[in-house]
Amino acid sequence: MSLLEAAGIYKSYAGVQALKNVRFSLAPSEVHALIGENGAGKSTLIKIITGAIQPDAGRLTIEGHTIDQPTPAGMKSRGVAAIYQQPSLFGHLTVAENIALALEPRTPFAKVNWSQRRTRATELLARVGASINPDQDAASLSMPQQQMVEIAKAIGCEAKIFVMDEPTASLSDKEVDNLFRVIGELRAKGAGIIYISHRLEELARISDRVSVLRDGELIATKQRNEVGREELVHLMVGRDVSAIFPKQKVSAGDTVVRLRAIKAQGIGPIDLDIRAGEIVGLAGLVGSGRTELANILFGLTPATSGVIEIRGKPIAIQSPQDAISAGIGYVPEDRRRHGLIQEMSVAENTTLAKLPPGFLNFAKEESTAKEFAHRLGTKTPSVDTPAANLSGGNQQKVVLSRWLATKPSVLLLDEPTQGIDVGAKAEVHALISEMAREGMAILMISSELPEILGMSDRIAVMSEGKLAGILNRAEATQESILHLALPCKRGAA
Ligand SMILES: Nc1ncnc2c1ncn2[C@@H]1O[C@H](COP(=O)(O)OP(=O)(O)OP(=O)(O)O)[C@@H](O)[C@H]1O
Ligand SMILES: [Mg+2]
């Protein structure tokens, strides 16, 4: 019997048919991947399965029981657990307390058995292979560690259906390996896993079946070994996608950014130059200091010592305002939190950085927003729609558009295509390449080595807060990057 059946699911939001007559099933011991372009309806479908939103029509059954009114609590009690891309732990509570909260019935008079709580937490963390101290505050955990705590919570609740929405988006390769091992174990114990990802190469490693959504409709459900990557892309996009890395050859101009002995807490000293027209890829493991370096350059965490020169002039970057007036633009990694003003429209968000404060030119705003929405294929009913109503990937396209529209002289990109579908990825890469050709100096952080190798003129590799080395485009390979990125390589005897 299926663990889960969804049939005839419909859902519409004002002006958008997010799901149309969708059918989906999950068998015990199955990893069923769900793929599709940004805005295809993936998150909407799993929100219905977790009870977070109600479908307009359709039927959900779990192990043969029809669920009449799906609610989060009801679906949880039927064994559905969601592991979101942004974990939802209470930062000020310890890991053990977070796990306990998920497992224990919440009665006001229940006596708290501390030692039992700790033992249970330790046991569950061991099952996911996480070496995490249960007494640590959840706020001090890294993203991948938080994710493991979420999975430990779900295992503790005896979940049978694990829903994972882009779980690997900000994990390093090693962390991905660990996640896949845990998924393998869950599956071996009979659980079913719904797995959403834009990284198609992952699907071959873990999924049994793949379902493709396009514009809210189920296009196909296939055995993974029956379809190749190209066919999947075709099913998703409805056309062939050729060059994902259309890097143009650009001869580098004058040095735009010059960093000398830059230091901040846990970072540096760092020396790095970026020339006009150059794309410098910044590689390294999660936690190696890549984002911190970008934050220093954008004045979010100013350097404590060292010199930053822009076009030969030393400047003090103490705040984002300083950075913006020096011509620096920044597309941060956590765009949902830092990049986007949810209440404002797509058009307002696109031109936010471009127009001087207090200067509103509605006609111009609208045409710029329309142009970029068209180029990146941003799916939105109109440019006047609030950004909050867009799917995750489409929100990212809006933030990216804003900085591409500003044409700064230095552009810092942190994981520019994270969460962006394959079709749009090619377009984002083409745009980045074009910006470089126009003379922008670009620093691009990415955890995807093919993206780093495909797009960069030079590759700076960070390890434990320092620059472990800089490779030229011609000499760089996945191996040479990893060799520099892995801290153990140098420390080990
Ligand atoms: N709260 C909402 N209000 C209005 N429209 C919404 C809302 N949530 C989602 N939508 C719309 O529903 C459609 C499907 O969105 P969904 O989030 O399911 O896409 P997705 O496949 O998860 O995309 P992504 O890969 O970008 O995360 C999109 O067109 C989106 O704009
Ligand atoms: Mg989504």
Side-chain angles (χ1 to χ4, degrees):
M1 193 198 322
S2 286
L3 274 179
L4 170 89
E5 293 274 357
I9 303 286
Y10 285 82
K11 176 74 191 177
S12 69
Y13 294 104
V16 181
Q17 189 73 44
L19 293 174
K20 259 175 271 179
N21 196 18
V22 168
R23 163 183 290 281
F24 185 86
S25 70
L26 184 67
S29 297
E30 179 184 46
V31 177
H32 192 157
L34 187 58
I35 64 172
E37 287 187 289
N38 297 132
K42 305 178 295 295
S43 296
T44 303
L45 179 59
I46 65 151
K47 281 181 198 155
I48 286 171
I49 292 171
T50 58
I53 58 174
Q54 307 282 318
D56 299 336
R59 201 163 53 93
L60 276 181
T61 55
I62 291 188
E63 296 181 303
H65 299 279
T66 302
I67 313 292
D68 287 327
Q69 280 284 323
T71 60
M75 295 311 268
K76 188 178 166 199
S77 71
R78 296 247 173 232
V80 178
I83 316 296
Y84 291 109
Q85 194 195 332
Q86 301 297 334
S88 52
L89 298 177
F90 296 101
H92 57 289
L93 299 181
T94 67
V95 170
E97 286 165 341
N98 267 287
I99 293 179
L101 266 182
L103 309 189
E104 290 164 18
R106 258 163 262 175
T107 57
F109 305 111
K111 248 180 92 184
V112 175
N113 183 335
W114 287 101
S115 73
Q116 200 183 334
R117 264 190 184 185
R118 284 194 79 255
T119 319
R120 184 86 177 110
T122 312
E123 183 186 293
L124 289 168
L125 290 168
R127 279 180 61 187
V128 297
S131 47
I132 296 171
N133 174 358
D135 298 326
Q136 210 175 329
D137 271 357
S140 66
L141 300 178
S142 70
M143 237 288 303
Q145 287 178 318
Q146 296 191 32
Q147 199 176 51
M148 285 299 145
V149 174
E150 293 283 0
I151 297 177
K153 266 166 53 180
I155 294 175
C157 297
E158 270 147 41
K160 283 174 295 203
I161 297 170
F162 289 76
V163 179
M164 302 190 181
D165 196 352
E166 298 185 46
T168 56
S170 45
L171 298 191
S172 69
D173 287 354
K174 223 172 99 196
E175 290 151 355
V176 171
D177 288 346
N178 185 53
L179 178 70
F180 286 2
R181 185 187 55 75
V182 173
I183 290 177
E185 278 167 23
L186 294 173
R187 177 214 255 149
K189 294 212 166 74
I193 293 108
I194 304 174
Y195 188 88
I196 296 183
S197 179
H198 286 292
R199 299 186 176 180
L200 299 184
E201 59 284 1
E202 290 178 352
L203 305 188
R205 286 178 62 192
I206 53 157
S207 64
D208 301 299
R209 278 193 298 167
V210 184
S211 283
V212 183
L213 285 175
R214 193 201 306 156
D215 292 334
E217 286 182 87
L218 182 77
I219 298 296
T221 296
K222 304 242 181 200
Q223 295 294 327
R224 175 62 187 88
N225 51 19
E226 282 175 359
V227 283
R229 181 195 158 89
E230 248 152 67
E231 189 182 346
L232 286 179
V233 171
H234 195 96
L235 289 168
M236 277 170 68
V237 191
R239 63 185 153 85
D240 285 321
V241 175
S242 48
I244 299 215
F245 306 109
K247 166 127 182 69
Q248 306 179 25
K249 243 197 140 104
V250 178
S251 45
D254 297 339
T255 301
V256 179
V257 182
R258 204 172 120 96
L259 306 181
R260 287 297 174 268
I262 287 297
K263 273 195 194 170
Q265 207 195 351
I267 300 292
I270 286 172
D271 289 8
L272 183 68
D273 291 353
I274 312 171
R275 296 164 70 185
E278 194 178 38
I279 301 175
V280 173
L282 193 57
L285 306 180
V286 171
S288 61
R290 299 169 305 171
T291 297
E292 286 75 5
L293 180 59
N295 286 346
I296 291 173
L297 277 169
F298 199 63
L300 288 165
T301 45
T304 48
S305 65
V307 180
I308 301 177
E309 284 179 19
I310 303 288
R311 298 190 185 285
K313 272 201 215 97
I315 58 162
I317 301 181
Q318 295 296 329
S319 67
Q321 282 71 28
D322 292 344
I324 292 170
S325 31
I328 300 175
Y330 186 20
V331 179
E333 178 177 20
D334 194 347
R335 290 177 270 270
R336 275 158 244 201
R337 258 174 54 207
H338 305 298
L340 203 70
I341 300 177
Q342 300 278 343
E343 299 75 28
M344 297 208 325
S345 73
V346 169
E348 287 165 326
N349 268 290
T350 305
T351 52
L352 202 55
K354 197 175 175 201
L355 300 169
F359 184 88
L360 282 183
N361 180 338
F362 291 107
K364 188 89 201 313
E365 184 173 88
E366 184 157 322
S367 69
T368 307
K370 277 188 178 152
E371 177 199 328
F372 278 91
H374 177 72
R375 290 185 70 173
L376 297 183
T378 311
K379 223 181 132 198
T380 175
S382 89
V383 292
D384 303 322
T385 304
N389 290 2
L390 266 53
S391 77
N394 283 309
Q395 293 186 359
Q396 306 208 9
K397 290 181 189 173
V398 172
V399 180
L400 206 58
S401 310
R402 176 197 307 163
W403 287 109
L404 296 176
T406 324
K407 302 213 166 95
S409 48
V410 179
L411 185 59
L412 313 171
L413 299 165
D414 197 350
E415 307 282 4
T417 62
Q418 184 181 98
I420 286 184
D421 66 60
V422 275
K425 218 170 182 164
E427 191 57 42
V428 170
H429 288 149
L431 268 170
I432 295 174
S433 201
E434 201 178 310
M435 299 292 150
R437 196 175 51 77
E438 287 171 12
M440 220 180 258
I442 296 174
L443 185 69
M444 184 189 78
I445 299 173
S446 173
S447 296
E448 285 189 50
L449 290 181
E451 178 167 87
I452 287 272
L453 288 164
M455 292 296 294
S456 317
D457 295 293
R458 287 187 302 140
I459 296 156
V461 186
M462 289 194 76
S463 175
E464 300 184 313
K466 300 203 168 48
L467 265 193
I470 298 180
L471 302 165
N472 284 319
R473 182 174 177 84
E475 62 179 345
T477 60
Q478 300 226 4
E479 291 71 35
S480 61
I481 295 175
L482 282 174
H483 185 79
L484 289 169
L486 292 171
C488 52
K489 282 271 159 60
R490 291 195 309 275

